[in-house]
Structure formats: C-alpha cells, structure tokens
C-alpha cells in the first residue's frame, strides 16, 4: 500500500469540507454532540473508495460507532474531527485516518483542509508534515512548554475533575490551549508546537492516527496511568514529547 495514494484520496475530502450548506445540516447525537452532513458524506466517500481499493480491510468509523472488530486489520476513521468547530466555521477541523494492523497503528494521515496541511506517519519511518520530517519539542520540563487540553465536551460529568487537572498543568506550564480538534492537537505535539496534550475520554478515531504521528516523531502516548491505549475502547489520553511525560502524568 502506498501512503501517497491514501493521502491523495484523503485530500479529496476538501470539497466536502468547503460545503457550508451541508455543514448546516446538523443532527444531535448527545449533549453538545453533533453530526453534520459533511461528516456523514466524508465517511461514506472514504469507506467506498477504500473498500474498492482494499476490499479485505474492515472499518471502524465514528459515524457508525464503536463495535467489536473481528478482523485484525481495519481502518479507523474520524471523518471530521472538530465538528463543533466546523458548524461554527471556526476553520480548525481535520480528517483523521489510521490503519490498525495486529495490535498497533501502522499508518496515520491527518488532513487539515483549511491550511492544506497533511501530517502523516508509517510505523518505523518517522512522521512528516507535507513531506518534511517533523519532531517533537526538545523541552525538558513543563515550564518550557504550552500544553493543549481537551474538555471532553460530551461527558460533562468529567468536567469538574478535568478542569482541576487543567489548573494543575497550567500552574506548571507556560500556558494551555483548547482547540476543539483532538487529532490536530496530537499532530501539533508531533511537530513540536506544543509539548503535550491530554483529554480524559477520547475514542479510537480521535487518537489512532495522531498517536502514531506523536510516537514516530519521538514522543510518548499513554493513558493517564501511563498504560497503553486500546483501539476498541474510549480512554484517557496523555501525549507528550516524552521528556515531560512523567511530569505531565504527575500533574494529571
Ligand atoms: C471531538 C474533538 C474535541 C474533543 C472531543 C472529541 P469530534 O471530536 O476532538 O476536540 O474535545 O472529545 O470528541 O466529535 O469533533 O469528532
Ligand atoms: Ca473526533
Ligand atoms: Ca468526528
């Protein structure tokens, strides 16, 4: 499989993202949790195109939900990460596609159609932004970093504890950021713009591609307890440049 072929395919989703009329066709999935026609159109498009090229590879996509996967190879897709941003034309949303193979992610592509940026990685081959190798930051301590945070907006019962976490991280770091697109938060860790990112309850499609990007760029991704994440369950996620990981986990 050629990653450039996958990238070319993912970049074709830009036409869907630019359709502001379809971004206004909104259904509510839960508290502050929405899906637009753009999300469902992109998932249908990529499922169809990937299926025709790789008929044996199964799918796990956000708009069909978490379910048991019998296969040991499957695509993990978030058709739009940052749907609330898309609805408000905030221009900070991405398409995130990972390939799971026998227990690990072997390929990740995150496409930012607003900046025409493609972040991608393959296991053992490093991470890239538009063809140029990227690396995590050199920061040794949180005091040398900014850390992006996730609010788990669909799980409001987590907010009180999570905002306390943010305060603890803010107290140690230079500052915190909240962008509204977890996959892009991970891509930013991978290219050293932030020293880390955390969010208490993310789904596999939010972190699959971004996790590989961070790891291949020299960083570390675990849950809040420092354990590996599952690709079939929701989990807390802490990503960093590696050097500040212990300090970040301590603050969390
Ligand atoms: C959400 C975004 C957001 C994060 C949420 C995710 P969605 O994904 O990544 O930044 O805080 O936890 O669910 O719903 O826009 O695909
Ligand atoms: Ca998402
Ligand atoms: Ca989504």
């Amino acid at each position: 499989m050629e990653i450039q072929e996958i990238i070319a395919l993912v970049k074709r989703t830009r036409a869907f993202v630019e359709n502001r009329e379809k971004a206004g066709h909104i259904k509510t999935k839960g508290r502050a949790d929405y899906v637009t026609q753009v999300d469902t159109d992109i998932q249908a498009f990529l499922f169809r195109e990937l299926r025709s090229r790789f008929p044996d590879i199964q799918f796990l996509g956000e708009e069909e939900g978490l379910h048991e996967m019998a296969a040991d190879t499957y695509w993990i897709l978030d058709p739009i990460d940052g749907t609330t941003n898309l609805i408000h034309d905030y221009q900070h949303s991405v398409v995130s596609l990972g390939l799971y193979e026998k227990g690990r992610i072997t390929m990740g592509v995150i496409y930012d159609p607003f900046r025409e940026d493609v972040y991608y990685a393959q296991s053992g081959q490093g991470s890239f932004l538009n063809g140029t190798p990227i690396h995590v930051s050199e920061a040794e301590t949180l005091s040398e970093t900014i850390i992006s945070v996730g609010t788990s907006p669909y799980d409001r019962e987590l907010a009180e504890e999570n905002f306390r976490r943010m305060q603890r991280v803010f107290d140690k770091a230079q500052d915190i950021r909240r962008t509204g697109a977890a996959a892009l938060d991970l891509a930013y860790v991978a290219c050293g713009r932030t020293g880390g990112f955390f969010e208490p309850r993310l789904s596999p499609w939010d972190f699959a591609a971004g996790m590989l990007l961070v790891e291949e760029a020299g960083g570390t991704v675990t849950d809040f307890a420092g354990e590996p994440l599952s690709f079939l369950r929701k989990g807390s996620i802490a990503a960093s440049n590696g050097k500040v990981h212990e300090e970040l986990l301590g603050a969390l």
Side-chain angles (χ1 to χ4, degrees), residues 17 21 38 47 51 82 86 97 128 130 138 148 185 202-203 207 214-217 219 224 233 235 245 251:
V17 176
E21 197 226 313
V38 175
F47 272 26
R51 172 84 70 202
L86 186 83
L97 179 68
F128 298 83
N130 301 329
E138 294 286 329
S148 60
D185 288 328
L202 279 188
S203 296
F207 62 75
V214 172
E215 290 176 345
E216 286 294 321
F224 288 179
R233 273 190 302 282
H245 207 74

Side-chain angles (χ1 to χ4, degrees), residues 62 78 80-83 154 181-183 202-203 205-206:
E62 171 163 20
D78 193 339
I80 288 289
D81 183 54
T83 295
Y154 316 139
L202 279 188
S203 296
W205 42 79
D206 299 312

